[in-house]
Amino acid sequence: MSSQKAWAIVAGVGPGTGASVARRFAKEYSVALLARNPSNYEPLVKEIESAGGKAVGISTDCADGKSVKNAFDQLKKEMGGAPLAAAIYNVGGRFIRKPFLELNEEEFESGWEANGRGGFHFSQAVLPLLLEALKGSLEHPPTLIFTSATAAMKGSANCSSFATGKFAMRALAQSLAREFGPKGIHVSHAIIDGVIDIERTKHYQFDHPDAKIKPEAIADSYWYLHTQPRTCFTNELDIRPYIEKW
Amino acid sequence: MSSQKAWAIVAGVGPGTGASVARRFAKEYSVALLARNPSNYEPLVKEIESAGGKAVGISTDCADGKSVKNAFDQLKKEMGGAPLAAAIYNVGGRFIRKPFLELNEEEFESGWEANGRGGFHFSQAVLPLLLEALKGSLEHPPTLIFTSATAAMKGSANCSSFATGKFAMRALAQSLAREFGPKGIHVSHAIIDGVIDIERTKHYQFDHPDAKIKPEAIADSYWYLHTQPRTCFTNELDIRPYIEKW
Amino acid sequence: MSSQKAWAIVAGVGPGTGASVARRFAKEYSVALLARNPSNYEPLVKEIESAGGKAVGISTDCADGKSVKNAFDQLKKEMGGAPLAAAIYNVGGRFIRKPFLELNEEEFESGWEANGRGGFHFSQAVLPLLLEALKGSLEHPPTLIFTSATAAMKGSANCSSFATGKFAMRALAQSLAREFGPKGIHVSHAIIDGVIDIERTKHYQFDHPDAKIKPEAIADSYWYLHTQPRTCFTNELDIRPYIEKW
Amino acid sequence: MSSQKAWAIVAGVGPGTGASVARRFAKEYSVALLARNPSNYEPLVKEIESAGGKAVGISTDCADGKSVKNAFDQLKKEMGGAPLAAAIYNVGGRFIRKPFLELNEEEFESGWEANGRGGFHFSQAVLPLLLEALKGSLEHPPTLIFTSATAAMKGSANCSSFATGKFAMRALAQSLAREFGPKGIHVSHAIIDGVIDIERTKHYQFDHPDAKIKPEAIADSYWYLHTQPRTCFTNELDIRPYIEKW
């Protein structure tokens, strides 16, 4: 039915960027919130529903193909044929800073699992739905956004796990943008460069006000990306607080 | 007076990006339109004024320091103390594609003149006004945007004039972003990658619809950049049509 | 004993770059050749030994931590306390070109396994030996070189497996260069951009002579990197035939 | 005559990189040394001649087309038809670190003049000679190397003059590499990242030994670049001391 509200899916919903992105997209779309731990999406589902929006949370481990398959089987029932307008992959994984020779394989792999393998399974699940949505009459081009970091551009000392993961995420985003862009899907890689202003970073002190990135502002930037027409796609942008060194 | 409408200045107003950017910013601000040839801004001034906006055009050669000084002397009188909210440097210069050994000095220098020297004089004129505007209560951070191109990222064969100019423009934009960002000025470098949909490119045929960039969409992206709060500045973004190879 | 000949280890010895690198380093060092399949190193071991050099081959799957551990247990016995002067990671993995939605997890992961996980295990095995070698009196700084590709810089359509692997390899190389460089280890990332001139590419026809990269020339470049003094380390270089488009 | 010794030209001969490069290339070739001030090349001409080499110095301002023309008119007489094997553009210009709004046009332009305009005139003078040399039987591909800096990759605050110049130099080097590479000329851009160990930097103190780049090592790297066969051209490499942060 053309009258069905479209959906947005946000993977990696926690207290920061993911939640803000979900709130922003919930103003226009029904939203599906994926996180491994239900405690990460449950309060947000309630909040969005209370505000008159529609939200469902599904416990999902994006690095696990079966878990993603189960989540999307369930989600498709919820969606009931409504189109998917946007998908945001906001899974970052652990940030491990450790001398290289003290890393074990499991720690080193964690960057890849969250950013590479997880990005793969998420993209394989959402791209068929985004392609399907092209047949309808959505206002904006179907959109897939990856939340990335400075570590996608520079491999710093003691950060090989996170950097290999984020470099891989950037490669994936570029490859998908070049394959699915010409079909009309907008794929974008957002380089978040700075400390995000959330509960966990409350104790980080800076000499200047507004020195941390507001997650609501990141959400606005993702919404802007989503609204770009296909004659004018931004495939990569950086985002940083005005006082950040770069 | 705090009730005075703020201004936006657009240098390099012609039939494409510059005019669309001027129209977009004129919805909120008084606009000053700079171009060497009055025929490039006169119809636009009339159009904006007819639509209820305020616009002034000033004949300016940005590569000439005296011409820029004269233009801003005149402009400051027009502004009458109202703040400068945004400045867009949209001067591109000639695109010369020629074997290197056939270029003369004047041709080679033209890329630098338009993008490097012109960017210098324009930035020196607008930055004091943007800094001054910080003292007021503008809704959005004062903004300086440079219209750039793929040639800022890759020096192609037979394009050394344009590429040296655009590489230099990117260096200037980065240097200014790092110096003036921490003061609260938002400096951004926009990489336009594709053919812009204007009268002059009407005969370019593509196999796909929407294959050229709509200047209105570029204008929307610049407006979005301008509205970013200082906790979330984008210093560089690319813009291309969905079917563009990159 | 200070009179012991130093060693070089080359992982990923096949008919192309790996073999040429091994031959080049075997002129100065004893060489250890790692490959999954003994048929890949056996002829080369014979060839080097016949020419008066010293070579040992060890069957190793670098993506498998246990296999790498076993290989280095054996290798350390062979080395008998002689220093490790250079280690070259030349494992590339399969090049898969396929629409993204037709990739299965195993295919997608293969790029990471060869370049990311394999690079991790190899680096964890050789770095302690390279650090140990710093205590001796080697002529050149101990060196770790990664053989990479254009896919480390650009994620092309239909190449997400290879590109995520090579981007990750670049991140790893950068991170190790920044951690181990200041200790005196030279870590370098070599971007091979073009077709390598080996048996398997014999049928590739080009309009120009010398259009494929000679593996011997790559080997010379690696040897040059190895001989750079620590006041002058090159951490990244590209290598391409003169007629290559880039 | 085929028996004539080939030449190398080094522009920008002072106490550091230029002199070391000249000494290195003088081992194989006759060398022409260009500098604005004869005091910069005269001692070196004597030194090379005393060591049995052949050197001529010519006072040249590379940013001035007429000066370059005069220099090459004189130089061609000296060369007497012998081929040009290599040309190194080592002119850097002044390094100005100053708040942007305190720069005057002459200061801002100085980066472009040394790196952009000077690179243009030098390249226009040497490329016909390098192309001519292709017809002979030189051992190595004719080579054009640009000495660049980190400022070619990043525009830092207060460094817009130097950064715009070096970005432009990189654009020029890329454009020439893509145009003249397929003809057989090797064009390379060398990013020198660190303090060079010369008289003027003697008082820079570091916590580590070998913390400054030896100019002789840079010269060796240029010589290595020159010796690469055309199947294996390096078009860009970075060079930094092992302890450098990057």
Side-chain angles (χ1 to χ4, degrees):
Chain A
M1 279 200 323
S2 66
S3 62
Q4 280 180 300
K5 212 172 158 184
W7 283 73
I9 303 175
V10 184
V13 171
T17 308
S20 291
V21 170
R23 278 185 204 102
R24 180 66 190 83
F25 281 70
K27 289 184 190 175
E28 316 278 339
Y29 301 131
S30 301
V31 292
L33 313 180
L34 313 187
R36 278 194 293 195
N37 193 331
S39 66
N40 274 330
Y41 56 72
E42 278 169 354
L44 190 59
V45 168
K46 275 182 203 153
E47 181 195 321
I48 289 172
E49 296 268 348
S50 309
K54 177 161 178 50
V56 298
I58 302 176
S59 182
T60 319
D61 176 358
C62 286
D64 176 348
K66 275 188 197 156
S67 173
V68 174
K69 193 186 173 309
N70 290 339
F72 277 79
D73 284 349
Q74 182 184 337
L75 183 52
K76 282 174 205 168
K77 283 180 205 154
E78 296 273 2
M79 292 172 66
L84 179 63
I88 291 95
Y89 190 69
N90 188 55
V91 177
R94 283 183 287 165
F95 179 71
I96 300 170
R97 187 187 291 273
K98 222 182 196 184
F100 180 72
L101 293 174
E102 295 175 18
L103 281 177
N104 61 37
E105 180 182 300
E106 185 268 334
E107 290 168 325
F108 179 72
E109 289 264 328
S110 67
W112 166 258
E113 278 169 25
N115 295 285
R117 190 188 303 152
F120 168 77
H121 287 306
F122 183 75
S123 300
Q124 285 220 327
V126 300
L127 278 164
L129 299 174
L130 295 169
L131 288 170
E132 185 67 25
L134 283 170
K135 300 176 190 164
S137 54
L138 289 174
E139 192 180 350
H140 307 297
T143 302
L144 170 57
I145 300 174
F146 292 88
T147 298
S148 191
T150 319
M153 312 299 282
K154 180 177 170 177
S156 296
N158 303 312
C159 298
S160 60
S161 170
F162 194 61
T164 50
K166 286 298 185 193
F167 269 64
M169 173 183 268
R170 188 174 183 234
L172 176 62
Q174 285 188 6
S175 183
L176 296 179
R178 289 187 171 102
E179 181 177 353
F180 293 94
K183 299 179 200 292
I185 310 286
H186 185 178
V187 182
S188 206
H189 178 250
I191 303 163
I192 313 295
D193 180 20
V195 174
I196 300 181
D197 192 6
I198 52 175
E199 192 60 36
R200 187 171 52 78
T201 62
K202 224 172 185 168
H203 62 289
Y204 289 31
Q205 301 292 335
F206 287 90
D207 292 340
H208 296 80
D210 297 336
K212 300 176 206 169
I213 313 177
K214 299 267 182 241
E216 299 78 23
I218 299 178
D220 284 341
S221 72
Y222 285 15
W223 181 257
Y224 167 68
L225 287 173
H226 175 50
T227 64
Q228 287 185 312
R230 66 180 179 174
T231 76
C232 176
F233 278 171
T234 289
N235 294 119
E236 187 162 87
L237 84 179
D238 50 24
I239 283 174
R240 60 177 60 85
Y242 70 115
I243 56 102
E244 190 74 20
K245 298 272 182 220
W246 54 291
Chain B
M1 280 199 320
S2 67
S3 61
Q4 280 180 300
K5 212 171 157 185
W7 283 72
I9 303 175
V10 184
V13 171
T17 307
S20 291
V21 169
R23 279 186 202 103
R24 180 66 190 82
F25 281 69
K27 289 185 190 175
E28 317 276 338
Y29 301 130
S30 301
V31 292
L33 313 181
L34 312 186
R36 280 193 291 194
N37 194 331
S39 66
N40 274 330
Y41 56 72
E42 279 168 354
L44 190 59
V45 168
K46 275 181 204 154
E47 180 196 320
I48 290 172
E49 296 269 348
S50 309
K54 177 163 176 50
V56 299
I58 303 175
S59 183
T60 320
D61 176 0
C62 286
D64 175 350
K66 273 187 198 157
S67 172
V68 174
K69 194 187 170 311
N70 289 340
F72 276 80
D73 284 348
Q74 182 184 337
L75 183 53
K76 281 174 206 168
K77 283 179 206 157
E78 296 272 2
M79 291 174 66
L84 180 62
I88 291 94
Y89 190 69
N90 188 55
V91 177
R94 283 184 288 164
F95 179 72
I96 301 170
R97 186 187 292 275
K98 222 183 198 183
F100 179 72
L101 292 174
E102 296 175 17
L103 282 176
N104 61 36
E105 181 182 300
E106 185 269 333
E107 290 168 325
F108 180 72
E109 289 265 328
S110 68
W112 166 258
E113 278 169 25
N115 294 285
R117 189 188 303 151
F120 168 76
H121 287 304
F122 183 76
S123 299
Q124 285 219 330
V126 300
L127 279 164
L129 301 173
L130 295 169
L131 288 169
E132 185 67 25
L134 283 170
K135 299 176 190 163
S137 55
L138 289 174
E139 192 180 351
H140 308 296
T143 303
L144 171 56
I145 300 174
F146 292 88
T147 298
S148 191
T150 319
M153 312 300 282
K154 179 177 171 177
S156 296
N158 304 312
C159 299
S160 60
S161 171
F162 194 62
T164 50
K166 286 298 182 192
F167 269 64
M169 172 182 268
R170 188 174 183 232
L172 176 62
Q174 285 187 6
S175 183
L176 296 179
R178 290 187 170 100
E179 181 177 352
F180 294 93
K183 299 180 199 292
I185 310 287
H186 184 179
V187 182
S188 206
H189 178 251
I191 304 162
I192 314 295
D193 180 20
V195 173
I196 300 181
D197 192 6
I198 51 175
E199 192 61 33
R200 187 171 52 79
T201 62
K202 224 173 184 170
H203 62 288
Y204 289 30
Q205 301 292 336
F206 287 90
D207 292 339
H208 297 80
D210 296 338
K212 301 176 206 169
I213 313 178
K214 300 266 181 243
E216 300 79 23
I218 299 178
D220 285 340
S221 72
Y222 285 17
W223 182 257
Y224 167 69
L225 288 172
H226 176 50
T227 64
Q228 288 187 313
R230 65 180 180 175
T231 76
C232 175
F233 278 171
T234 289
N235 294 119
E236 186 163 86
L237 85 178
D238 50 25
I239 283 175
R240 62 177 59 85
Y242 70 116
I243 56 103
E244 190 74 20
K245 298 273 180 220
W246 54 291
Chain C
M1 278 197 323
S2 67
S3 62
Q4 280 181 298
K5 209 170 159 187
W7 283 72
I9 304 175
V10 184
V13 171
T17 308
S20 291
V21 170
R23 279 186 202 102
R24 180 66 190 81
F25 282 70
K27 290 185 189 173
E28 315 277 340
Y29 301 131
S30 302
V31 292
L33 313 180
L34 311 188
R36 277 193 294 193
N37 194 331
S39 66
N40 274 330
Y41 55 72
E42 279 169 353
L44 190 59
V45 168
K46 274 182 204 155
E47 180 195 321
I48 290 171
E49 296 270 348
S50 310
K54 177 161 176 53
V56 298
I58 302 176
S59 182
T60 318
D61 176 359
C62 285
D64 175 351
K66 275 188 196 156
S67 172
V68 174
K69 194 188 171 308
N70 289 340
F72 277 79
D73 283 349
Q74 182 184 337
L75 183 53
K76 282 173 205 167
K77 282 180 205 154
E78 296 273 2
M79 292 172 67
L84 179 63
I88 290 94
Y89 189 69
N90 188 55
V91 177
R94 282 183 288 164
F95 179 71
I96 299 171
R97 187 187 291 274
K98 222 182 197 185
F100 179 72
L101 292 174
E102 295 176 17
L103 282 177
N104 61 36
E105 181 181 301
E106 185 268 333
E107 289 169 324
F108 179 72
E109 290 265 327
S110 67
W112 166 258
E113 277 169 26
N115 294 285
R117 189 187 304 150
F120 168 77
H121 287 305
F122 183 75
S123 299
Q124 286 220 327
V126 301
L127 279 164
L129 301 174
L130 295 168
L131 288 169
E132 186 66 28
L134 284 170
K135 300 177 190 163
S137 55
L138 288 174
E139 191 180 352
H140 308 296
T143 302
L144 170 57
I145 300 174
F146 292 89
T147 299
S148 192
T150 319
M153 312 300 281
K154 179 177 171 178
S156 296
N158 304 313
C159 299
S160 61
S161 171
F162 194 62
T164 50
K166 286 298 184 192
F167 269 64
M169 172 182 268
R170 187 173 184 235
L172 176 62
Q174 284 187 7
S175 183
L176 296 179
R178 290 187 170 100
E179 181 177 352
F180 293 93
K183 300 180 200 288
I185 309 287
H186 184 178
V187 182
S188 207
H189 178 251
I191 303 163
I192 313 295
D193 180 19
V195 173
I196 301 180
D197 192 4
I198 52 175
E199 191 61 34
R200 186 170 54 76
T201 62
K202 224 172 186 169
H203 63 288
Y204 290 31
Q205 300 291 336
F206 287 89
D207 292 340
H208 297 79
D210 296 337
K212 300 176 206 170
I213 312 176
K214 300 265 182 243
E216 299 78 24
I218 299 177
D220 285 341
S221 72
Y222 285 16
W223 182 256
Y224 167 68
L225 287 173
H226 176 51
T227 63
Q228 287 187 313
R230 66 181 179 173
T231 77
C232 176
F233 278 172
T234 289
N235 295 119
E236 186 163 88
L237 84 177
D238 51 25
I239 283 175
R240 60 178 60 85
Y242 70 116
I243 56 103
E244 189 74 19
K245 297 274 181 219
W246 54 290
Chain D
M1 277 200 323
S2 66
S3 61
Q4 281 180 298
K5 210 171 159 185
W7 283 72
I9 304 175
V10 184
V13 171
T17 307
S20 291
V21 169
R23 280 185 201 100
R24 180 66 191 81
F25 281 70
K27 290 186 189 173
E28 317 276 339
Y29 302 130
S30 301
V31 292
L33 313 180
L34 312 187
R36 278 192 293 193
N37 194 332
S39 67
N40 274 329
Y41 57 73
E42 278 167 355
L44 189 59
V45 167
K46 274 182 203 153
E47 181 195 321
I48 290 171
E49 296 269 348
S50 310
K54 175 161 180 50
V56 299
I58 303 176
S59 182
T60 319
D61 176 358
C62 286
D64 176 350
K66 275 187 199 158
S67 172
V68 174
K69 195 188 169 309
N70 290 340
F72 277 79
D73 284 347
Q74 181 183 337
L75 183 53
K76 282 175 208 168
K77 283 180 205 156
E78 295 274 1
M79 292 172 67
L84 179 63
I88 290 94
Y89 190 69
N90 188 55
V91 177
R94 284 182 289 164
F95 179 71
I96 300 170
R97 187 187 292 272
K98 220 181 198 186
F100 179 73
L101 293 174
E102 296 175 17
L103 281 177
N104 61 36
E105 181 183 299
E106 185 268 333
E107 290 169 325
F108 179 72
E109 289 264 328
S110 68
W112 166 258
E113 278 168 26
N115 294 284
R117 189 186 305 152
F120 168 76
H121 287 305
F122 183 75
S123 299
Q124 285 220 328
V126 300
L127 278 164
L129 301 174
L130 295 168
L131 288 169
E132 185 67 25
L134 283 171
K135 300 176 191 164
S137 54
L138 289 174
E139 191 180 351
H140 308 296
T143 302
L144 171 56
I145 300 174
F146 292 88
T147 298
S148 192
T150 319
M153 312 299 283
K154 180 177 170 177
S156 296
N158 304 313
C159 300
S160 59
S161 171
F162 194 62
T164 50
K166 286 298 183 191
F167 269 64
M169 173 183 267
R170 187 174 185 234
L172 177 62
Q174 284 187 8
S175 183
L176 296 180
R178 290 188 171 100
E179 182 178 352
F180 293 93
K183 300 180 199 290
I185 309 287
H186 184 178
V187 182
S188 207
H189 178 250
I191 304 161
I192 313 296
D193 180 20
V195 173
I196 301 180
D197 192 6
I198 52 176
E199 192 61 35
R200 186 171 52 80
T201 63
K202 223 172 186 170
H203 62 288
Y204 290 31
Q205 300 291 335
F206 287 90
D207 293 339
H208 297 80
D210 296 337
K212 300 175 206 169
I213 313 177
K214 300 266 182 240
E216 300 79 22
I218 299 178
D220 285 340
S221 72
Y222 285 16
W223 181 257
Y224 167 69
L225 287 172
H226 176 51
T227 64
Q228 288 186 312
R230 66 180 179 174
T231 76
C232 175
F233 278 171
T234 289
N235 295 118
E236 186 163 87
L237 84 178
D238 51 24
I239 283 175
R240 60 178 61 86
Y242 70 115
I243 56 102
E244 189 72 20
K245 297 274 181 220
W246 55 290

PDB file of all heavy atoms in Angstrom, chain B residues 111-123:
ATOM      1  N   GLY B 111      44.857  29.298 -13.322  1.00  0.00           N
ATOM      2  CA  GLY B 111      44.274  28.466 -12.266  1.00  0.00           C
ATOM      3  C   GLY B 111      44.598  29.018 -10.883  1.00  0.00           C
ATOM      4  O   GLY B 111      43.740  29.099 -10.005  1.00  0.00           O
ATOM      5  N   TRP B 112      45.850  29.399 -10.708  1.00  0.00           N
ATOM      6  CA  TRP B 112      46.267  29.992  -9.431  1.00  0.00           C
ATOM      7  C   TRP B 112      45.558  31.325  -9.182  1.00  0.00           C
ATOM      8  O   TRP B 112      45.088  31.599  -8.072  1.00  0.00           O
ATOM      9  CB  TRP B 112      47.785  30.214  -9.427  1.00  0.00           C
ATOM     10  CG  TRP B 112      48.227  31.111  -8.303  1.00  0.00           C
ATOM     11  CD1 TRP B 112      48.564  32.427  -8.404  1.00  0.00           C
ATOM     12  CD2 TRP B 112      48.320  30.774  -6.920  1.00  0.00           C
ATOM     13  NE1 TRP B 112      48.891  32.922  -7.163  1.00  0.00           N
ATOM     14  CE2 TRP B 112      48.741  31.940  -6.236  1.00  0.00           C
ATOM     15  CE3 TRP B 112      48.099  29.601  -6.185  1.00  0.00           C
ATOM     16  CZ2 TRP B 112      48.957  31.959  -4.855  1.00  0.00           C
ATOM     17  CZ3 TRP B 112      48.299  29.614  -4.816  1.00  0.00           C
ATOM     18  CH2 TRP B 112      48.720  30.778  -4.156  1.00  0.00           C
ATOM     19  N   GLU B 113      45.499  32.150 -10.221  1.00  0.00           N
ATOM     20  CA  GLU B 113      44.897  33.478 -10.031  1.00  0.00           C
ATOM     21  C   GLU B 113      43.465  33.373  -9.526  1.00  0.00           C
ATOM     22  O   GLU B 113      43.072  34.066  -8.588  1.00  0.00           O
ATOM     23  CB  GLU B 113      44.928  34.261 -11.345  1.00  0.00           C
ATOM     24  CG  GLU B 113      46.268  34.915 -11.576  1.00  0.00           C
ATOM     25  CD  GLU B 113      46.405  35.467 -12.974  1.00  0.00           C
ATOM     26  OE1 GLU B 113      45.384  35.781 -13.609  1.00  0.00           O
ATOM     27  OE2 GLU B 113      47.568  35.571 -13.435  1.00  0.00           O
ATOM     28  N   ALA B 114      42.692  32.518 -10.163  1.00  0.00           N
ATOM     29  CA  ALA B 114      41.281  32.410  -9.793  1.00  0.00           C
ATOM     30  C   ALA B 114      41.118  31.747  -8.427  1.00  0.00           C
ATOM     31  O   ALA B 114      40.335  32.207  -7.592  1.00  0.00           O
ATOM     32  CB  ALA B 114      40.523  31.612 -10.851  1.00  0.00           C
ATOM     33  N   ASN B 115      41.862  30.680  -8.194  1.00  0.00           N
ATOM     34  CA  ASN B 115      41.612  29.855  -7.009  1.00  0.00           C
ATOM     35  C   ASN B 115      42.505  30.195  -5.825  1.00  0.00           C
ATOM     36  O   ASN B 115      42.056  30.175  -4.685  1.00  0.00           O
ATOM     37  CB  ASN B 115      41.785  28.377  -7.376  1.00  0.00           C
ATOM     38  CG  ASN B 115      40.734  27.914  -8.354  1.00  0.00           C
ATOM     39  OD1 ASN B 115      39.590  27.707  -7.980  1.00  0.00           O
ATOM     40  ND2 ASN B 115      41.112  27.774  -9.629  1.00  0.00           N
ATOM     41  N   GLY B 116      43.764  30.506  -6.118  1.00  0.00           N
ATOM     42  CA  GLY B 116      44.700  30.798  -5.046  1.00  0.00           C
ATOM     43  C   GLY B 116      44.685  32.268  -4.659  1.00  0.00           C
ATOM     44  O   GLY B 116      44.244  32.643  -3.576  1.00  0.00           O
ATOM     45  N   ARG B 117      45.138  33.115  -5.589  1.00  0.00           N
ATOM     46  CA  ARG B 117      45.225  34.541  -5.260  1.00  0.00           C
ATOM     47  C   ARG B 117      43.842  35.129  -4.997  1.00  0.00           C
ATOM     48  O   ARG B 117      43.659  35.905  -4.049  1.00  0.00           O
ATOM     49  CB  ARG B 117      45.915  35.308  -6.392  1.00  0.00           C
ATOM     50  CG  ARG B 117      46.219  36.756  -6.003  1.00  0.00           C
ATOM     51  CD  ARG B 117      46.735  37.555  -7.198  1.00  0.00           C
ATOM     52  NE  ARG B 117      47.913  36.897  -7.750  1.00  0.00           N
ATOM     53  CZ  ARG B 117      48.263  36.971  -9.032  1.00  0.00           C
ATOM     54  NH1 ARG B 117      47.536  37.679  -9.894  1.00  0.00           N
ATOM     55  NH2 ARG B 117      49.334  36.335  -9.468  1.00  0.00           N
ATOM     56  N   GLY B 118      42.872  34.742  -5.819  1.00  0.00           N
ATOM     57  CA  GLY B 118      41.517  35.246  -5.611  1.00  0.00           C
ATOM     58  C   GLY B 118      40.960  34.781  -4.265  1.00  0.00           C
ATOM     59  O   GLY B 118      40.336  35.559  -3.540  1.00  0.00           O
ATOM     60  N   GLY B 119      41.215  33.534  -3.933  1.00  0.00           N
ATOM     61  CA  GLY B 119      40.760  33.017  -2.639  1.00  0.00           C
ATOM     62  C   GLY B 119      41.408  33.760  -1.484  1.00  0.00           C
ATOM     63  O   GLY B 119      40.783  33.998  -0.445  1.00  0.00           O
ATOM     64  N   PHE B 120      42.672  34.123  -1.675  1.00  0.00           N
ATOM     65  CA  PHE B 120      43.394  34.889  -0.658  1.00  0.00           C
ATOM     66  C   PHE B 120      42.740  36.249  -0.422  1.00  0.00           C
ATOM     67  O   PHE B 120      42.416  36.613   0.722  1.00  0.00           O
ATOM     68  CB  PHE B 120      44.851  35.061  -1.101  1.00  0.00           C
ATOM     69  CG  PHE B 120      45.635  36.059  -0.293  1.00  0.00           C
ATOM     70  CD1 PHE B 120      46.095  35.741   0.977  1.00  0.00           C
ATOM     71  CD2 PHE B 120      45.917  37.319  -0.800  1.00  0.00           C
ATOM     72  CE1 PHE B 120      46.822  36.660   1.730  1.00  0.00           C
ATOM     73  CE2 PHE B 120      46.645  38.247  -0.057  1.00  0.00           C
ATOM     74  CZ  PHE B 120      47.095  37.911   1.214  1.00  0.00           C
ATOM     75  N   HIS B 121      42.536  37.014  -1.492  1.00  0.00           N
ATOM     76  CA  HIS B 121      41.986  38.365  -1.320  1.00  0.00           C
ATOM     77  C   HIS B 121      40.561  38.312  -0.759  1.00  0.00           C
ATOM     78  O   HIS B 121      40.200  39.096   0.114  1.00  0.00           O
ATOM     79  CB  HIS B 121      42.023  39.132  -2.644  1.00  0.00           C
ATOM     80  CG  HIS B 121      43.404  39.552  -3.045  1.00  0.00           C
ATOM     81  ND1 HIS B 121      44.203  40.297  -2.231  1.00  0.00           N
ATOM     82  CD2 HIS B 121      44.127  39.315  -4.168  1.00  0.00           C
ATOM     83  CE1 HIS B 121      45.371  40.508  -2.826  1.00  0.00           C
ATOM     84  NE2 HIS B 121      45.344  39.911  -4.003  1.00  0.00           N
ATOM     85  N   PHE B 122      39.780  37.377  -1.277  1.00  0.00           N
ATOM     86  CA  PHE B 122      38.408  37.262  -0.777  1.00  0.00           C
ATOM     87  C   PHE B 122      38.413  36.899   0.712  1.00  0.00           C
ATOM     88  O   PHE B 122      37.693  37.500   1.515  1.00  0.00           O
ATOM     89  CB  PHE B 122      37.667  36.198  -1.598  1.00  0.00           C
ATOM     90  CG  PHE B 122      36.224  36.038  -1.227  1.00  0.00           C
ATOM     91  CD1 PHE B 122      35.279  36.980  -1.624  1.00  0.00           C
ATOM     92  CD2 PHE B 122      35.794  34.936  -0.481  1.00  0.00           C
ATOM     93  CE1 PHE B 122      33.930  36.830  -1.286  1.00  0.00           C
ATOM     94  CE2 PHE B 122      34.457  34.782  -0.142  1.00  0.00           C
ATOM     95  CZ  PHE B 122      33.516  35.733  -0.539  1.00  0.00           C
ATOM     96  N   SER B 123      39.255  35.933   1.086  1.00  0.00           N
ATOM     97  CA  SER B 123      39.293  35.492   2.487  1.00  0.00           C
ATOM     98  C   SER B 123      39.779  36.617   3.398  1.00  0.00           C
ATOM     99  O   SER B 123      39.269  36.788   4.509  1.00  0.00           O
ATOM    100  CB  SER B 123      40.215  34.273   2.626  1.00  0.00           C
ATOM    101  OG  SER B 123      39.734  33.208   1.838  1.00  0.00           O
TER     102      SER B 123
END
